[in-house]
């Protein structure tokens, strides 16, 4: 069955499939402002030399705590760590030092460059975990949408000399990610992303799956488009087939943007998955 350009856009561009996406962004911004007022933090710590290679850290009360890193979405071309400060409200009260990480954006950087710098950032965080208030042996990560993609790719098993050390990241929670990037070539946002056909293989986690040393949790909303749900389902199946410890979860009624409302408080569904992976206190 042929797919029209409009249907392809609807399937792979969440701003087309979720008309009220701006409402979710406004709520996240409001929650994040409040979180920054409520939580002690260190802002704009540089982990690399590029303009957006920075992170914010919200330390737990006890040094040497479990350390969790969150990467935002935005189709590699938008959003900012400041939009997601609120995840600290879900994790810090349970004793998890929380890092919210920025990364360079298209078109100022290419997607392969962003992926490489993300891996370098995770390596930097692991090496500097103690200075951030965390335990390098209890590092976990999560990301939403493009952030989930970047984490999956950063953990690639076949990255050669650039490969992350086995065990550096204990667990990854991948929320509403995209893992096969060929469809991105056919959507309008690629005018900004600048993905070219020759780049697709190198930046598709379906073709470069994560190391089996990292436990994986793949999450998607039941109200996301069929193609987007298939991305998560197929990626989880691939990872399980390679021997990864990989669980797959569908959150009922959640779309691509509403799903992140499940990570506002410690008892929310996504928060519980992250806290369980981090081995956080009850």
């Amino acid at each position: 069955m042929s797919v029209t350009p409009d249907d392809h856009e609807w399937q792979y561009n969440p701003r087309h499939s979720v008309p009220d996406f701006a409402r979710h962004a406004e709520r996240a911004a409001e929650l994040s402002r409040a979180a920054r007022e409520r939580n002690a933090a260190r802002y704009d710590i540089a982990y690399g030399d590029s303009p957006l290679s920075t992170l914010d850290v919200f330390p737990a009360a006890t040094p040497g705590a479990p350390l969790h890193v969150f990467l935002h979405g935005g189709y590699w071309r938008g959003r900012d760590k400041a939009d997601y400060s609120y995840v600290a409200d879900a994790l810090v009260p349970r004793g998890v030092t929380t890092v919210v990480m920025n990364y360079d954006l298209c078109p100022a950087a290419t997607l392969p460059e962003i992926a490489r710098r993300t891996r370098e950032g995770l390596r930097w965080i692991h090496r500097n975990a103690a200075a951030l208030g965390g335990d390098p042996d209890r590092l976990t990560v999560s990301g939403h949408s493009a952030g989930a993609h970047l984490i999956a790719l950063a953990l690639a098993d076949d990255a050669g000399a650039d490969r992350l050390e086995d065990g550096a990241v204990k667990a990854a929670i991948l929320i509403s990610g995209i893992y096969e990037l060929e469809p991105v070539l056919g959507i309008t946002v690629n005018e900004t992303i600048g993905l070219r056909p020759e780049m697709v293989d190198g930046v598709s986690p379906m073709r470069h799956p994560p190391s089996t040393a990292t436990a994986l949790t793949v999450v998607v909303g039941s109200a996301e488009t069929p193609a987007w749900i298939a991305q998560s389902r197929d990626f989880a199946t691939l990872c399980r087939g390679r021997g990864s410890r990989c669980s797959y979860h569908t959150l009922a009624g959640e779309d691509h943007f509403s799903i992140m409302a499940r990570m506002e408080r410690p008892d929310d569904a996504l928060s519980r998955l992250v806290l369980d992976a981090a081995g956080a206190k009850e």
Side-chain angles (χ1 to χ4, degrees):
M1 183 177 67
S2 62
V3 177
T4 68
D6 285 347
D7 183 61
H8 186 81
E9 186 80 16
W10 181 82
Q11 293 280 357
Y12 288 102
N13 185 347
R15 291 193 175 193
H16 280 228
S17 57
V18 185
D20 64 343
F21 67 88
R23 174 175 62 86
H24 298 290
E26 290 165 2
R27 175 172 173 77
E30 180 181 344
L31 290 171
S32 292
R33 284 191 294 271
R36 289 192 294 274
E37 293 175 358
R38 185 164 41 245
N39 294 284
R42 294 161 57 198
Y43 298 105
D44 299 321
I45 300 170
Y47 66 80
D49 296 331
S50 58
L52 289 176
S53 292
T54 60
L55 57 85
D56 299 338
V57 58
F58 298 83
T62 304
L67 181 62
H68 186 78
V69 181
F70 177 82
L71 265 70
H72 66 81
Y75 241 141
W76 313 288
R77 78 204 193 289
R79 307 309 300 273
D80 185 86
K81 58 183 171 56
D83 299 328
Y84 291 92
S85 300
Y86 73 85
V87 302
D89 283 340
L91 307 182
V92 172
R94 296 292 173 85
V96 177
T97 290
T98 304
V99 172
V100 187
M101 181 176 165
N102 257 0
Y103 49 86
D104 294 304
L105 300 174
C106 303
T110 68
L111 193 46
E113 288 170 342
I114 296 168
R116 174 178 55 80
R117 292 169 186 166
T118 299
R119 183 181 290 116
E120 292 172 354
L122 294 179
R123 184 178 287 115
W124 185 94
I125 292 168
H126 183 245
R127 289 173 177 169
N128 291 275
L132 298 174
D135 181 349
D137 293 328
R138 292 189 288 173
L139 173 62
T140 58
V141 298
S142 66
H144 173 239
S145 194
H149 160 268
L150 290 172
I151 288 171
L153 198 58
L155 296 171
D157 208 14
D158 63 353
D162 200 32
R163 186 176 182 272
L164 285 177
E165 177 185 353
D166 277 348
V169 176
K170 299 300 182 184
I173 297 84
L174 308 175
I175 307 160
S176 299
I178 183 166
Y179 307 104
E180 170 54 57
L181 268 63
E182 187 169 4
V184 175
L185 296 172
I187 58 175
T188 56
V189 293
N190 196 40
E191 295 172 7
T192 303
I193 298 167
L195 182 68
R196 301 192 301 273
E198 65 270 20
M199 295 178 180
V200 169
D201 178 77
V203 294
S204 291
M206 281 293 293
R207 310 184 194 193
H208 305 279
S211 165
T212 57
T214 299
L216 303 173
T217 302
V218 179
V219 189
V220 70
S222 69
E224 303 202 48
T225 64
W228 208 278
I229 293 171
Q231 288 264 339
S232 288
R233 183 188 63 239
D234 294 349
F235 188 66
T237 299
L238 171 71
C239 293
R240 286 171 175 166
R242 298 182 68 252
S244 290
R245 294 163 292 154
C246 180
S247 62
Y248 176 72
H249 304 262
T250 303
L251 295 191
E254 303 298 345
D255 62 43
H256 190 75
F257 297 101
S258 70
I259 195 169
M260 282 304 300
R262 308 293 288 273
M263 200 170 173
E264 296 177 4
R265 296 167 295 275
D267 59 348
D268 286 336
L270 281 176
S271 305
R272 291 197 303 269
L273 291 172
V274 171
L275 291 166
D276 286 349
K281 62 186 180 183
E282 293 295 329

